[in-house]
Amino acid sequence: MEQFSAIFNGLARSLSIKKGKISRNCGGREAAEAMVKDAKKNDLILKSSGVVSADGSNNFVAVFSKRGQKGVNQDCCIVWEEFGCQEDMMFCGIFDGHGPWGHFVAKMVREAMPSSLLCNWQETLAQTSVDTDFDITVDKKLDRFNIWKHSFLKTCAAVDQELEQHRGIDSFYSGTTALTIVRQGDLIVLAIVGDSRAVLATTSDEGNLVPVQLTVDFKPNLPQEAERITQCKGRVFCLEDEPGVHRLWLPDGETPGLAMSRAFGDYCVKDFGLISVPEVTQWNITSRDHFIVLATDGVWDVISNQEAVQIVASSPDRSKAAKCLVDSAALAWKRKRRGIATDDISAICLFFQTPLSQQIHPAYSQFETGHDRHPK
């Protein structure tokens, strides 16, 4: 258990920033908020369009968000380098609000998730370190993932409950999706609530750059989602003027018409099949992997996985890669969905290595088909 003890002790020391000694149990939100303040002071947290590249880090992150034609931009993002004061960790999140208060809901969830996740992660580590039945030698990577999975599940439940009780935000008919990842060394842990998407760019055996879809778009018509909704007396169907767009509805009446089956908030339909439980998966980074794209459905509604990877890989300046993808999606909306108001469009591009042109076969811009798949 030496590896986990070292991680825990390092985190415990970092949590004492200007706060004095803390207990082995997380110290609550106050301790995590101390780390947030310290990270902000050191420019390690980004919440708007821009780039993050900490000294000595293998990560380089580009972020860009563009308001659509439906009013205020309800998308928001966060990137936190050296997450939890751990040099080998990073947190990224992208949130897509909807409904009258959607932008407030998205920002509240963005603010609450990182600190809550840190608290739950530390508590899980503490429990693991004193568990006499825990054997770190069995499978270090699997156990590391399970600690994060448990922490994400607790966090999402806590954040959704906190949102429901928030007196300043009316989330009865409003909500947000959330796609969050933690990178810890060579491990990527992904937690998805809703229909944003994460796509990895990796090199095939033939030397071509290919996309790997790492998350599921949780739409109401997915068989397992539709079954849960109908069992809870909710309904799933398309409106006549929106063929192919399946939405979640209350048992009676045409509300709320959600285009996703999982979300924070939207308490009007939480008893009728909508859940905020994330699907938590993992990906182990290898030398073949080059970057991950996290984007809201404003991108994926008009841009394929292959196109997205190609656009990001072809960007001459990595700091503008997210902007190139968002701008390409905005143009695609005008071309493919004429007469339909453009959605808010946001993307995070997390690079693992030096620029692709220096890393892989010159044919990296050529793409093979049929390589979109989910992690095992």
Side-chain angles (χ1 to χ4, degrees):
M1 296 195 303
E2 293 180 359
Q3 179 189 19
F4 283 104
S5 296
I7 293 174
F8 176 82
N9 291 335
L11 181 60
R13 286 194 298 272
S14 67
L15 280 169
S16 63
I17 300 169
K18 297 182 180 180
K19 295 290 178 181
K21 189 176 180 181
I22 65 165
S23 65
R24 282 181 71 85
N25 255 349
C26 180
R29 186 68 62 86
E30 182 182 1
E33 288 177 352
M35 286 191 292
V36 172
K37 292 180 181 178
D38 189 70
K40 287 179 179 178
K41 184 174 70 173
N42 292 304
D43 295 325
L44 296 175
I45 294 181
L46 179 69
K47 296 183 180 179
S48 60
S49 299
V51 297
V52 175
S53 182
D55 293 339
S57 172
N58 292 325
N59 299 313
F60 182 91
V61 189
V63 181
F64 196 78
S65 182
K66 187 171 186 177
R67 181 174 62 88
Q69 298 174 321
K70 301 177 181 179
V72 64
N73 189 350
Q74 295 188 306
D75 287 358
C76 63
C77 309
I78 183 172
V79 174
W80 183 346
E81 180 71 276
E82 296 184 13
F83 182 51
C85 298
Q86 300 295 298
E87 292 182 357
D88 70 334
M89 282 174 32
M90 167 176 275
F91 176 89
C92 298
I94 195 162
F95 310 88
D96 183 356
H98 53 263
W101 289 69
H103 50 302
F104 294 111
V105 175
K107 289 180 180 178
M108 181 273 173
V109 174
R110 179 187 66 179
E111 297 302 309
M113 277 202 73
S115 56
S116 179
L117 182 62
L118 279 176
C119 288
N120 288 316
W121 179 65
Q122 187 192 13
E123 288 177 356
T124 306
L125 278 175
Q127 293 166 4
T128 300
S129 67
V130 298
D131 184 355
T132 56
D133 295 327
F134 178 76
D135 185 2
I136 187 62
T137 61
V138 174
D139 191 333
K140 293 181 180 179
K141 289 184 178 180
L142 180 61
D143 288 318
R144 186 170 54 160
F145 166 68
N146 283 332
I147 288 172
W148 279 115
K149 181 176 181 178
H150 179 73
S151 302
F152 267 115
L153 290 171
K154 286 184 65 177
T155 294
C156 289
V159 169
D160 201 45
Q161 184 178 19
E162 181 181 345
L163 175 63
E164 185 176 19
Q165 297 171 353
H166 198 296
R167 295 183 178 181
I169 299 177
D170 183 358
S171 52
F172 192 70
Y173 289 107
S174 299
T176 186
T177 65
L179 169 57
T180 52
I181 70 169
V182 169
R183 178 182 182 182
Q184 184 180 25
D186 62 349
L187 176 68
I188 295 282
V189 181
L190 308 98
I192 174 66
V193 176
D195 57 358
S196 293
R197 185 186 303 172
V199 174
L200 173 83
T202 192
T203 311
S204 69
D205 292 338
E206 292 75 22
N208 299 318
L209 198 66
V210 294
V212 178
Q213 184 170 327
L214 299 179
T215 55
V216 174
D217 301 345
F218 282 111
K219 302 290 189 180
N221 61 315
L222 286 179
Q224 71 274 18
E225 302 296 288
E227 181 180 1
R228 182 187 68 248
I229 292 167
T230 54
Q231 286 180 349
C232 294
K233 309 302 181 183
R235 296 179 298 161
V236 178
F237 61 86
C238 306
L239 295 176
E240 291 184 3
D241 59 348
E242 289 184 319
V245 181
H246 292 82
R247 295 184 181 275
L248 167 59
W249 309 88
L250 286 168
D252 300 306
E254 293 189 355
T255 57
L258 293 181
M260 72 288 299
S261 57
R262 304 190 185 195
F264 292 95
D266 298 302
Y267 299 104
C268 66
V269 75
K270 275 284 164 66
D271 291 333
F272 300 99
L274 184 76
I275 60 175
S276 58
V277 179
E279 180 179 74
V280 185
T281 56
Q282 65 177 324
W283 184 270
N284 290 300
I285 303 171
T286 71
S287 59
R288 289 189 173 196
D289 302 330
H290 299 279
F291 59 84
I292 284 181
V293 175
L294 312 179
T296 58
D297 64 337
V299 170
W300 308 117
D301 283 347
V302 292
I303 297 287
S304 70
N305 293 350
Q306 290 184 349
E307 290 170 335
V309 169
Q310 184 174 22
I311 290 165
V312 172
S314 302
S315 176
D317 184 349
R318 289 194 303 173
S319 66
K320 298 180 180 179
K323 184 178 187 302
C324 288
L325 178 58
V326 169
D327 287 345
S328 296
L331 290 174
W333 269 86
K334 295 178 181 179
R335 185 176 69 254
K336 297 180 179 181
R337 299 199 165 192
R338 293 180 181 178
I340 300 177
T342 305
D343 198 2
D344 303 325
I345 308 173
S346 303
I348 299 174
C349 301
L350 168 58
F351 295 88
F352 308 138
Q353 306 175 0
T354 53
L356 287 167
S357 59
Q358 302 174 20
Q359 284 284 327
I360 64 175
H361 191 278
Y364 71 86
S365 61
Q366 299 176 6
F367 291 80
E368 300 174 352
T369 59
H371 284 77
D372 293 354
R373 58 187 174 88
H374 302 301
K376 295 180 179 179

